[in-house]
Amino acid sequence: SQKIEQNSEALNIQEGKTATLTCNYTNYSPAYLQWYRQDPGRGPVFLLLIRENEKEKRKERLKVTFDTTLKQSLFHITASQPADSATYLCARGTGFQKLVFGTGTRLLVSP
Amino acid sequence: NAGVMQNPRHLVRRRGQEARLRCSPMKGHSHVYWYRQLPEEGLKFMVYLQKENIIDESGMPKERFSAEFPKEGPSILRIQQVVRGDSAAYFCASSPVAGEETQYFGPGTRLLVL
């Protein structure tokens, strides 16, 4: 099956460090991958989209990479802050644009 | 510009009752998607609708669940004869046009079936 896999274990880092989250996909080549942020009790919020022909995309302290050889996308938050603590979801688009999500990785940034 | 609105935010039903979840997409958006998030699981696609049409319902359970997006008014996700396993957070998302990859999510409706 065409899966999106994210590390289900929480990632704990100290404020100021760079957080790196991983998204792996199997058995297909998505045209693009998206990253969303979800806070407890809230809906996902779109952060970044990266296409298969883009190696890297940046937005403020966020950076996403897309490696079609490794079948992997990495999501980086530089100079992390406690306010960055949330669950981060990776998703791929499919026919009719429905999104297939990974289970998400919870990030905890300690002061 | 108001975001995607969902109501109610919380809904409690007893087994066998009906649940109606409403979603008003962002202004100018005519494409609506419903997703379900079970505890400790990821978001799962249920159905994709355009005004007055169901485009893709491949993620919708065959029985008890239905969805509509009428010409006027919000999109409705209806669950008949709810069971405890229906307890979940239901999210609606919208996009302005077909092929627009980014989806804008509402705050969700948390359904609890007693």
Side-chain angles (χ1 to χ4, degrees):
Chain A
S1 62
Q2 301 177 347
K3 287 185 176 179
I4 286 274
E5 295 177 342
Q6 294 183 258
N7 190 347
S8 58
E9 290 183 18
L11 177 64
N12 290 277
I13 64 169
Q14 271 202 307
E15 184 175 8
K17 302 290 186 185
T18 296
T20 299
L21 288 69
T22 304
C23 174
N24 296 297
Y25 57 91
T26 57
N27 301 330
Y28 65 96
S29 296
Y32 59 87
L33 291 168
Q34 301 188 38
W35 286 88
Y36 287 78
R37 168 180 173 147
Q38 187 174 24
D39 290 282
R42 302 211 166 182
V45 175
F46 171 76
L47 297 174
L48 282 168
L49 179 151
I50 185 165
R51 302 184 190 281
E52 61 178 339
N53 61 349
E54 297 174 319
K55 297 291 184 192
E56 179 181 299
K57 185 167 276 190
R58 292 175 184 262
K59 178 183 174 183
E60 297 174 352
R61 294 185 295 112
L62 308 180
K63 184 178 85 171
V64 174
T65 62
F66 196 168
D67 189 325
T68 54
T69 302
L70 293 178
K71 293 184 182 287
Q72 183 179 82
S73 175
L74 298 179
F75 177 81
H76 306 272
I77 306 175
T78 58
S80 60
Q81 304 166 1
D84 295 326
S85 298
T87 296
Y88 291 85
L89 307 172
C90 177
R92 66 173 181 91
T94 67
F96 297 118
Q97 309 310 325
K98 68 186 180 189
L99 295 175
V100 175
F101 284 88
T103 52
T105 299
R106 191 169 162 217
L107 173 66
L108 297 171
V109 181
S110 305
Chain B
N1 187 12
V4 177
M5 299 177 68
Q6 291 188 247
N7 66 81
R9 293 292 307 276
H10 300 273
L11 183 60
V12 179
R13 286 286 179 266
R14 296 191 181 281
R15 281 179 296 168
Q17 292 184 318
E18 178 179 289
R20 282 193 177 222
L21 288 62
R22 294 175 196 78
C23 168
S24 296
M26 286 180 71
K27 188 176 180 181
H29 288 196
S30 57
H31 301 257
V32 165
Y33 309 79
W34 285 93
Y35 295 84
R36 177 165 66 175
Q37 188 171 40
L38 292 165
E40 306 303 321
E41 292 189 19
L43 284 151
K44 303 284 189 210
F45 167 80
M46 299 182 73
V47 62
Y48 163 39
L49 311 102
Q50 295 176 21
K51 284 285 186 182
E52 301 184 278
N53 288 303
I54 296 175
I55 306 301
D56 182 354
E57 56 182 349
S58 58
M60 195 100 97
K62 295 284 184 254
E63 297 178 354
R64 302 187 298 108
F65 285 72
S66 62
E68 63 177 8
F69 189 14
K71 188 176 180 182
E72 302 291 337
S75 175
I76 307 284
L77 179 67
R78 183 179 172 206
I79 311 173
Q80 294 178 294
Q81 299 176 318
V82 296
V83 301
R84 288 214 172 108
D86 296 333
S87 295
Y90 292 82
F91 291 96
C92 167
S94 72
S95 67
V97 294
E100 172 66 35
E101 301 101 344
T102 301
Q103 294 180 15
Y104 301 85
F105 283 79
T109 293
R110 276 140 192 89
L111 172 65
L112 176 62
V113 180
L114 301 177

